[in-house]
Amino acid sequence: MKWALNTRHYWLIASVVIVAGVVGTVSGNVDLPIPFMSALLGTSTMPAPVIPSLVVAIVAGGSIQSAEMLWTFASVRNVVAHSMALAAAVVLLVFVVSSTTGILVGDSAVAVLLTRDVAGFLVLWSVSRALGIERFASLVPVVYLLIAAIFARNSLGQTRGWAWILDRDLGNLWAVYTIFLGTLLTLLFVLRRRSLLGGAKGPKV
Amino acid sequence: MLPVTRRPAWWLLAPAIGLVVLYVQQYVPSLQIIAQREAAVAASALLLIFSASLVSTTAALEVGRDRASCGMTEVSVRSKIEVVAVRLWPCLVAGTIVQMSGIFVLLDKAGSAPDRFPVLITVGLLCALLFHAGIGVFLGTWLRPRFAVPFALALSYLWLGFAWSFDFVPVRYLAGLALEGCCSPSETVDISAVVALIVFSLAGFVGLVLMAGGVDSRKLRPRGNRNWLRLVAGIATLGLGTSLGLFAARDVGVNPVVARPLADAQCSNSVPEVCLFSTQLARGDTRHVYADTFTVLAARGMPKVTQVFSISGDHEPVLSAQGVANVVAAPGQSRSAALESAASTFAVAASNTECGDDVSTDIYGWSEVLKVWSVQAAALQILDSEEREGIPDTSFLELISEPGETDFAQQWQVLSGFDEQSQNDWAASTYRQLSQCQVPAQLGVGPR
């Protein structure tokens, strides 16, 4: 059991979360220009914390899935539930690290934004798994960011709602619905222990 | 040969081309590239986000497959270069197809053009794909596919996206995306920018492949002297490529362009002589409109213009003391657009006068009134009634007329009520005053 848990690379995940939490909070008010939308319609930007959030999602997602490969299919434990509990713990840790850093640097508002972004990316990762994209579930958050950074602007130069990751507004309903529905699907996946669209029981190895 | 389903580059090809077409149709306006092959191909630099992402992701997948399937004691009978080549060729071919598809769509949007197909820019953009293949090879070898593939895509995106906005301008040209700032009818590509991209991309590819050779023992750190040597050689090559690239692009400005030589322009036999580039003449010759406009305005009391050209560069005055006017001329512009471009020369020249901070901002409002008058005066004599629709456009005068300050829209109404000679006198004296940083007096109501 201990061996199986260690394969999740807790220390790697924790280190990445701490570094990303600090970097994301310190650079929280920086806006990075996006060339793909800016060139023709004026400057577009994305909040800098998006990048550390993405790194956390890739590392956490990859590490969690790598560990699942070492668990037997016959395990009486719900492996997926363990994995998703760890993902939730990652989100919590990001909030704690970011809030603490925020207190030290005198800017606590970024913690919520960073936590939303990490939660959003991890929800996309878990939903991808729930829908059967097992091997490259960590690729889905990156593809989402890419598509958002390329196609988010409409002809009036406004950012479309579905590209909430580029939006600092914490009240963006698209973000709220994405995280809420994603969590719901993830819970179904946890209870079912296999892809919601069919497929073999348990994660693919 | 592996089947199509086993080569991710092939089954990702169609979605990538679809996204390229969607992006071009949605975000690249025809006006920016019309009748200019060079501008069309340069605009395709933005499409590197699709082709380069495809190349880096699929390279990481392909190389990751080797990493995952290689046994502990297995020894490859083929050389490392051969293995990399076999793994990478579908990725690079697919990336090239995506980039070329984008170029063809853009060329179609640009329509027929007098300039030649810019081979060098195309080669530069395709070389950029090599660097992204290198990213995929290195990450695919170093990390497990579960990490390598998303990181390869993220790194490609970050490199393309954020190198573009570096304050240190030469860095922008190492990624290639900044080539998008090229070109216009009066500007051509600065070759140094493309050379920087090619040099960096080739050296970067070699460096990353060498580094991959050093970390292929499925450990985070290289094992053995030979692997360390490969890693160091790779880093050194990457560093050398970066230095050479930065050196090549050291003099390139924010936009990778140089002004076309005026000798390439085609001049008319009219008075004043009007010289435009072949691209500017590709959708209709409007040189006579420019000549007629300056002739009409000279007859109404404005300074005489002897030569008209359209070249870029901040150092070129809009109107020189010798009577040489530098106008804006776009391919496909209408007669009325050409007239507005020519007629606004005097107002723009006057508003460009450096007056310091002491002078009232009304000076800009008055230059707008002068501009409206010039356009109106020329349009009445040169354009027919249909072409004059919407001329003069006084909406800007209403926009800049703040309550409690000078009402420029009302001043224009007063001016347009004057007889022709009074208007001519007002225009000549206003131009002279604005050029000397003096604010003209407000106009009285009623005919003069």
Side-chain angles (χ1 to χ4, degrees), chain B residues 346-429:
Chain B
F346 301 104
V348 174
S351 64
N352 281 356
T353 309
E354 289 189 13
C355 296
D357 298 334
D358 313 340
V359 181
S360 163
T361 51
D362 272 6
I363 208 162
Y364 301 108
W366 283 112
S367 68
E368 283 300 320
V369 178
L370 179 64
K371 181 173 159 183
V372 170
W373 175 84
S374 307
V375 172
Q376 164 98 329
L380 282 172
Q381 293 198 34
I382 297 169
L383 303 180
D384 57 39
S385 55
E386 280 179 15
E387 290 173 318
R388 282 203 303 270
E389 205 170 307
I391 290 180
D393 182 7
T394 57
S395 57
F396 191 67
L397 291 179
E398 285 156 20
L399 199 70
I400 59 174
S401 299
E402 298 281 335
E405 294 178 13
T406 310
D407 186 345
F408 294 107
Q410 192 257 341
Q411 291 291 304
W412 161 246
Q413 290 299 328
V414 174
L415 176 66
S416 55
F418 290 176
D419 60 52
E420 189 174 309
Q421 189 54 49
S422 301
Q423 287 188 18
N424 295 351
D425 294 344
W426 175 87
S429 78

Side-chain angles (χ1 to χ4, degrees), chain A residues 133-202:
Chain A
I133 305 171
E134 270 294 333
R135 219 172 137 209
F136 296 111
S138 299
L139 194 58
V140 173
V142 193
V143 171
Y144 165 68
L145 175 63
L146 224 76
I147 297 292
I150 297 168
F151 290 106
R153 285 189 90 173
N154 61 20
S155 54
L156 300 173
Q158 299 156 331
T159 305
R160 293 188 171 104
W162 58 262
W164 52 266
I165 197 73
L166 308 179
D167 192 0
R168 280 186 180 276
D169 179 17
L170 294 170
N172 186 321
L173 289 177
W174 280 85
V176 177
Y177 291 146
T178 304
I179 294 172
F180 176 73
L181 286 175
T183 309
L184 214 63
L185 283 174
T186 304
L187 286 173
L188 284 175
F189 178 46
V190 166
L191 294 172
R192 203 166 177 248
R193 297 194 198 191
R194 62 179 175 180
S195 164
L196 301 178
L197 299 179
K201 185 180 177 184

